[in-house]
Amino acid sequence: VVQVIQAKNLPAKDTNGYSDPFVKVYLLPGRDQENKRRTKHVPKNLNPVWDHTVVYGNMHREELQYKMLEFTVWDYDRFKANDFIGQVTIDLKDAKVIDDKPHWYRLQALRSREEISNRGSSPRLFKMTSTDSAASSSSVFTKNNVNAQA
């Protein structure tokens, strides 16, 4: 169980000076629909609060050592392709990540995507918490930092 909580100081990707951010979460390895989750977008906001719970069923704590969580933050655009904001990948074999406490992580820009699309963005931070299926967890995104609880 992972809860995506919030982000702060995200870059503006729209001409109105805002972004409409949402988060995609993948439990890796695997990029199929079974491993993909997504928050709703928050309109016109550079400091979004999602407070969204992500659940991956039938998972034992011992299995987490072979898994990673990938978070990508996007700006939602209704009539064109969504704009990439940043990402963070968290290796769940690190026991410090799975301690039922929030942790901050830096969102990284994907240079290849930015070079192709000319969408430069500075790194932002991300906070996430994760736990086993019996407990709850939370994630928060912040400028130049990521906090995750597993």
Side-chain angles (χ1 to χ4, degrees):
V1 176
V2 176
Q3 185 170 356
V4 180
I5 301 172
Q6 74 180 59
K8 291 188 179 180
N9 301 317
L10 295 176
K13 292 291 189 174
D14 296 334
T15 57
N16 63 10
Y18 293 100
S19 288
D20 307 300
F22 69 94
V23 181
K24 291 182 187 178
V25 183
Y26 282 97
L27 181 64
L28 302 175
R31 290 198 177 273
D32 55 10
Q33 285 301 114
E34 182 179 327
N35 294 330
K36 179 182 176 182
R37 304 291 187 272
R38 179 192 155 145
T39 68
K40 292 183 178 183
H41 76 277
V42 179
K44 296 182 182 178
N45 204 312
L46 302 179
N47 300 293
V49 175
W50 293 283
D51 199 21
H52 179 84
T53 301
V54 172
V55 177
Y56 293 98
N58 300 320
M59 180 81 47
H60 296 284
R61 196 172 190 103
E62 302 80 44
E63 296 175 73
L64 294 178
Q65 67 182 321
Y66 306 108
K67 305 284 185 182
M68 294 188 299
L69 284 171
E70 177 188 82
F71 297 86
T72 54
V73 182
W74 298 85
D75 168 49
Y76 172 77
D77 289 313
R78 184 173 179 180
F79 297 111
K80 61 180 184 133
N82 296 322
D83 299 310
F84 175 79
I85 295 175
Q87 80 164 32
V88 64
T89 303
I90 299 165
D91 194 338
L92 298 179
K93 70 181 167 193
D94 183 354
K96 293 181 219 166
V97 172
I98 309 173
D99 61 1
D100 299 338
K101 298 177 186 173
H103 302 277
W104 286 97
Y105 298 92
R106 182 175 304 274
L107 287 177
Q108 300 295 321
L110 287 180
R111 303 222 187 281
S112 60
R113 282 189 192 172
E114 287 181 352
E115 290 168 6
I116 290 169
S117 63
N118 273 337
R119 295 183 196 142
S121 70
S122 58
R124 300 291 182 245
L125 296 181
F126 172 84
K127 181 179 180 182
M128 174 197 96
T129 330
S130 56
T131 60
D132 61 28
S133 59
S136 65
S137 62
S138 59
S139 301
V140 175
F141 299 83
T142 311
K143 178 183 178 183
N144 297 324
N145 192 14
V146 175
N147 187 337
Q149 183 178 347

